[in-house]
Amino acid sequence: MAPPVNPPMRTLRSVTDLLDAGLVTPAQVPGLEQVARQYATAIPPAFADLIETPDDPIGRQVIPDPAECRTDPTEDPDPIGDDALSPVPGIVHRYADRALLKPLLVCPLYCRFCFRREHVGPGGGVLDDAALARALDWLRTHTDIHEVVMTGGDPLMLSPRRMRAIMTALEGMDHIHTIRIHSRVPVADPDRLNDDMAAALETTRSMWLVAHVNHARELTPAARAAIRRVQVRAIPVLGQSVLLRGVNDTPEALEALLRAQVATRIRPYYLHQLDPAPGTARFHVPIREGQRLLAALRGRVTGIAWPTYVLDIPGGHGKVPIAPDYLQTGPDGYLHVTAPDGTIYRLARERG
């Protein structure tokens, strides 16, 4: 199938929109209408312009597929236990020193592999003033919380005015030292991260932007410019990606992604193992394969570009690193270490 002849001028939100853009065929419509009854679609023009074919690494992430209606027995509507760990609406408290603040459940782009796909969408909306006040009060009274991670949905879908109000409230809490914002906006809808929004992120606290990028082609000139608007305000940018079948599951694709991030002054932070949300099996890459992919890049890319490969243990039990293990106890009882070229060396002074 050929890519769209005319790039879309507005966000694609319906099966009809996808059909008109040339991203699906008439034969696919009945199956996709079934998907639409369960999961939202949104593909902003900036992201749609990157799709060369519907099954390329960009299209695969965002174009709905009938397979989404098939749930594997290993999949869970709340794969990382957000619901059970939410003391008040808009807050998730999983770790002792930090909490998630979810001011809204709306995104610029609805990824087909999203672990919150049961919750996000146009109906998810924004916390109203009363609900946001309760969430902020919870943070204010829990002085053991030192870091707030703003997520959602996508926090950069807020207006600059509302974002500034949240920043001001967090700045008034002496125990909050660090604020992190996780967002897909820089690559999905870069014009939204304009000067007004970048200015709204300025704070006396340690502020970090974590940009979700899964493929090197997502870092367009417009995306780089949006990220630069944040960086010039001395806000560091980290990168997080999800390991996805057909998107970044080759050494070449993963290397290009990591290099593109570093070239944009983004420090790769996390490479996530796919969370088992319903209907996402087509994106699954086994952990052992993911470890081999990363091992293939050791020695080929700078350590600056090396992310932490992590698994969010299903059920809300926390995030753990699952990187390749280069250290083993040998049959002689000594530690043996594997070099990037595969050669194994014994550490003479170290026993297992």
Side-chain angles (χ1 to χ4, degrees):
M1 185 188 303
V5 175
N6 297 309
M9 301 302 293
R10 58 184 175 81
T11 296
L12 305 176
R13 297 189 181 277
S14 68
V15 176
T16 300
D17 289 343
L18 296 171
L19 189 63
D20 291 344
L23 294 173
V24 302
T25 66
Q28 294 174 292
V29 168
L32 296 180
E33 287 178 340
Q34 182 181 355
V35 176
R37 288 191 284 271
Q38 191 168 357
Y39 302 117
T41 292
I43 311 175
F47 208 82
D49 286 352
L50 298 178
I51 301 173
E52 296 174 350
T53 63
D55 61 349
D56 76 0
I58 307 298
R60 183 174 174 82
Q61 294 182 62
V62 296
I63 298 172
D65 188 285
E68 295 175 43
C69 293
R70 297 192 292 271
T71 301
D72 187 272
T74 63
E75 295 172 346
D76 187 325
D78 184 24
I80 65 170
D82 274 3
D83 293 346
L85 297 166
S86 182
V88 297
I91 295 288
V92 176
H93 186 206
R94 179 174 290 106
Y95 302 106
D97 70 332
R98 77 211 81 144
L100 303 185
L101 173 61
K102 299 193 291 184
L104 77 174
L105 291 173
V106 176
C107 297
L109 179 77
Y110 291 109
C111 300
R112 313 320 299 181
F113 52 85
C114 178
F115 69 92
R116 291 197 177 112
R117 66 204 315 263
E118 296 281 327
H119 304 285
V120 298
V126 180
L127 290 181
D128 61 26
D129 289 343
L132 179 59
R134 284 193 295 272
L136 292 171
D137 282 343
W138 188 93
L139 291 170
R140 192 173 289 112
T141 57
H142 285 74
T143 56
D144 53 337
I145 300 296
H146 302 304
E147 179 178 8
V148 172
V149 182
M150 288 182 63
T151 181
D154 196 311
L156 295 187
M157 292 293 283
L158 295 169
S159 68
R161 179 194 62 80
R162 196 167 176 86
M163 177 63 78
R164 180 68 256 167
I166 293 173
M167 290 296 110
T168 299
L170 294 175
E171 283 181 342
M173 305 177 197
D174 291 341
H175 56 285
I176 302 298
H177 304 153
T178 304
I179 302 169
R180 245 193 290 159
I181 292 181
H182 287 219
S183 179
R184 197 86 158 106
V185 161
V187 297
D189 193 3
D191 289 346
R192 184 175 286 275
L193 183 47
N194 56 25
D195 286 330
D196 287 344
M197 177 58 82
L201 302 181
E202 291 190 280
T203 173
T204 58
R205 299 296 186 261
S206 173
M207 164 65 81
W208 301 74
L209 174 64
V210 183
H212 180 166
V213 188
N214 293 322
H215 194 271
R217 283 206 283 122
E218 296 175 32
L219 288 168
T220 62
R224 292 170 188 251
I227 290 164
R228 187 65 181 150
R229 284 191 278 274
V230 171
Q231 292 169 329
V232 296
R233 289 173 165 83
I235 297 172
V237 181
L238 303 175
Q240 67 172 359
S241 310
V242 182
L243 183 59
L244 300 166
R245 179 68 74 204
V247 176
N248 52 26
D249 61 330
T250 66
E252 295 76 17
L254 196 55
E255 179 177 352
L257 169 61
L258 299 176
R259 290 189 183 281
Q261 289 181 71
V262 172
T264 312
R265 303 185 190 178
I266 298 172
R267 170 68 164 90
Y269 175 42
Y270 278 151
L271 176 64
H272 292 271
Q273 179 66 14
L274 179 72
D275 295 308
T280 62
R282 66 196 177 102
F283 292 104
H284 177 70
V285 177
I287 290 173
R288 292 301 186 195
E289 184 177 342
Q291 291 174 325
R292 288 193 294 272
L293 280 170
L294 273 181
L297 299 184
R298 177 59 77 182
R300 283 176 51 180
V301 297
T302 170
I304 296 172
W306 195 258
T308 301
Y309 184 28
V310 292
L311 168 72
D312 231 321
I313 302 172
H317 302 293
K319 193 181 279 96
V320 292
I322 52 173
D325 189 354
Y326 296 92
L327 200 62
Q328 303 289 337
T329 301
D332 56 3
Y334 284 86
L335 293 182
H336 292 236
V337 62
T338 303
D341 66 1
T343 305
I344 298 175
Y345 298 91
R346 193 186 83 165
L347 301 182
R349 295 184 180 181
E350 299 285 344
R351 287 187 174 270

